[in-house]
């Protein structure tokens, strides 16, 4: 049985709590949060505290808090034993205080409070400073996910930025598309099946091979016409830059 | 029973053939293609021809051919009756010859030869010049899809461009992300679940509400650090422009 304490009450903390609740051989012995009102909203399943000084003994302390707070909170912890980990993609392991054993437990997913996610499919990237700690983190991650990956802080930072491109920027493409739809009185929902298929395709094909469209074909006539169709300067600028980037990817002269 | 002739042997033609094969009350009476060898690859289920002059009588002739060829092929058709439709998002109805009744039958999806798609979920956008033709096109589309939408040529052209943003540009984001992953020795496949969730999210939330990340939060520190992490000029330029566009979307001063 791995005994854990969760520090935090936000999106990531709540999703982790939900996942650990169903996991075998893991016991959440306490949840720390700054506000009692928020802690109470978690239900009566957990022992809670608002005092860092009142933390119970556990094997692993999971800091599921904002990036900026990680370093500071880790310094405040006064623990005799236990491994302290954070859950951030972009913060290095070294940001944690040296007073305790330290590591990283980063679930690579976008979490919204009101959406269920299948934790078994979410990759968990772990990092630690010795084999014993890696062992227990692997065990904890495997209790909730099928995909556990060891990586160092630099790799994780790169993965986090790759996630910004694949998630934040992709979602912004959806937004620009929806904006253009409403400007032209067509329902954006018609594009939902296309969007799902575009995402599914890359599980079988590399994004390089999956690319289609006028940029890939270097169809200058269509590229010119489509740019002219766009009304806003912002849309035109993005259309040009991304079309150029696609053409360049496939070795076309610009 | 609606009798149809398919003209074309490419991706769209093959997917349509597959869908009509399973449809009730639709009979594919003939397939036209330029090459016998390609027509033979369709199997022995269909009567075929390489001669436009040998087309059988049918209710609807579907031109599933490249955009550039639509106008020319429609002029060559010498039909006594029947409705001629094309399957293109960007070509107006008026590109078809006036010699016959004409219309549009545009399935909004990205087709790859070796990927199965569920036609029932693919929106089909139809257009015609009178109510009777609209009626039969609706009937034909409903035989293979649950989502049939009437729209004029301008709306369809806009929808097609919106699809370029939601599909071509989105896939290019996947590509840039995968490129950055391999530059940094992390497996892109770790991002697959995130990519699927990003796509699924917008079936419940608008892309406006679904947006997350440093651009949305206007977190200038992270934006600056992440841009510095990127190695290629192209990545930096795209990162800047899209981050700016996201910040602008949420009313941040640049």
């Amino acid at each position: 049985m791995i005994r854990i304490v969760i520090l935090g009450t936000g999106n990531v903390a709540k999703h982790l709590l939900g996942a650990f609740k169903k996991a075998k051989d893991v016991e959440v012995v306490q949840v720390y949060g700054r506000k009692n009102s928020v802690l109470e909203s978690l239900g009566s399943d957990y022992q809670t505290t608002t005092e860092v000084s009142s933390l119970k003994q556990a094997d692993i302390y999971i800091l599921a808090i904002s990036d900026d707070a990680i370093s500071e909170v880790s310094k405040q912890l006064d623990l005799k034993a236990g491994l302290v980990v954070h859950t951030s993609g972009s913060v290095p392991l070294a940001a944690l205080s040296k007073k305790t054993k330290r590591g990283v437990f980063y679930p690579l997913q976008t979490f919204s409070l009101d959406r269920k996610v299948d934790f078994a499919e979410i990759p968990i990237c772990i990092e630690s400073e010795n084999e014993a700690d890696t062992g227990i983190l692997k065990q904890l991650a495997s209790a909730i996910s099928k995909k556990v990956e060891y990586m160092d802080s630099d790799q994780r930072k790169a993965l986090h930025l790759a996630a910004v491109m694949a998630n934040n920027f992709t979602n912004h493409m959806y937004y620009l598309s929806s904006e253009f739809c409403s400007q032209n009185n067509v329902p954006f929902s018609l594009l939902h099946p296309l969007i799902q298929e575009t995402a599914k395709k890359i599980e079988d094909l590399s994004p390089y091979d999956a690319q289609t469209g006028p940029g890939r074909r270097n169809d200058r006539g269509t590229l010119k016409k489509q740019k002219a169709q766009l009304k806003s300067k912002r849309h035109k600028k993005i259309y040009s830059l991304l079309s150029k980037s696609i053409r360049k990817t496939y070795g076309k002269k610009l």
Side-chain angles (χ1 to χ4, degrees), chain A residues 34-207:
Chain A
R34 276 176 299 183
K35 287 182 192 166
N36 254 321
S37 56
V38 181
L39 286 168
E40 279 159 16
S41 74
L42 300 176
S44 53
D45 291 343
Y46 307 104
Q47 296 207 35
T48 60
T49 181
T50 57
E51 300 296 330
V52 185
S53 56
S54 309
L55 291 181
K56 295 199 170 199
Q57 214 179 300
D59 300 307
I60 303 177
Y61 297 81
I62 300 181
L63 301 183
I65 57 182
S66 71
D67 289 6
D68 301 338
I70 289 170
S71 190
E72 195 49 40
V73 172
S74 82
K75 276 182 208 152
Q76 291 167 22
L77 299 180
D78 187 23
L79 304 169
K80 282 179 193 140
L83 170 61
V84 176
V85 299
H86 72 65
T87 56
S88 165
S90 57
V91 175
L93 179 144
L96 292 165
S97 162
K98 279 185 183 170
K99 290 194 303 181
T100 58
K101 291 191 292 172
R102 50 193 186 166
V104 178
F105 190 90
Y106 168 50
L108 177 58
Q109 186 51 285
T110 170
F111 295 106
S112 307
L113 266 188
D114 45 354
R115 280 186 61 80
K116 279 187 193 164
V117 289
D118 179 7
F119 238 97
E121 299 299 328
I122 298 178
I124 297 182
C125 305
I126 57 171
E127 182 181 5
S128 80
E129 294 183 303
N130 62 62
E131 271 184 38
D133 293 349
T134 300
I136 192 170
L137 284 179
K138 233 177 217 169
Q139 206 183 324
L140 182 67
S142 304
I144 56 174
S145 167
K146 291 187 290 186
K147 297 175 190 168
V148 183
E149 190 90 10
Y150 187 93
M151 57 176 66
D152 67 29
S153 291
D154 281 344
Q155 284 175 303
R156 195 176 55 255
K157 196 172 146 196
L159 183 66
H160 185 251
L161 177 44
V164 164
M165 299 185 205
N167 168 297
N168 299 167
F169 288 176
T170 291
N171 185 75
H172 191 54
M173 293 303 123
Y174 301 158
Y175 172 72
L176 294 174
S177 179
S178 72
E179 204 182 10
F180 186 69
C181 278
S182 55
Q183 284 167 1
N184 288 279
N185 199 26
V186 295
F188 175 66
S189 61
L190 289 179
L191 292 166
H192 285 180
L194 177 71
I195 285 171
Q196 300 309 326
E197 173 64 10
T198 305
K200 271 188 218 129
K201 230 176 179 177
I202 55 134
E203 306 217 312
D204 298 329
L205 290 174
S206 72

Side-chain angles (χ1 to χ4, degrees), chain A residues 201-202 205-220 223 242-254:
Chain A
K201 230 176 179 177
I202 55 134
L205 290 174
S206 72
Y208 184 90
D209 290 330
Q211 189 68 53
T212 57
R216 163 107 200 225
R217 295 192 308 272
N218 201 23
D219 175 350
R220 293 183 193 211
L223 289 168
L242 295 184
S243 297
K244 261 188 204 170
S245 180
I246 293 171
R247 289 164 67 199
K248 219 171 168 182
T249 300
Y250 295 92
K252 310 300 185 204
K253 280 185 191 160
L254 301 188

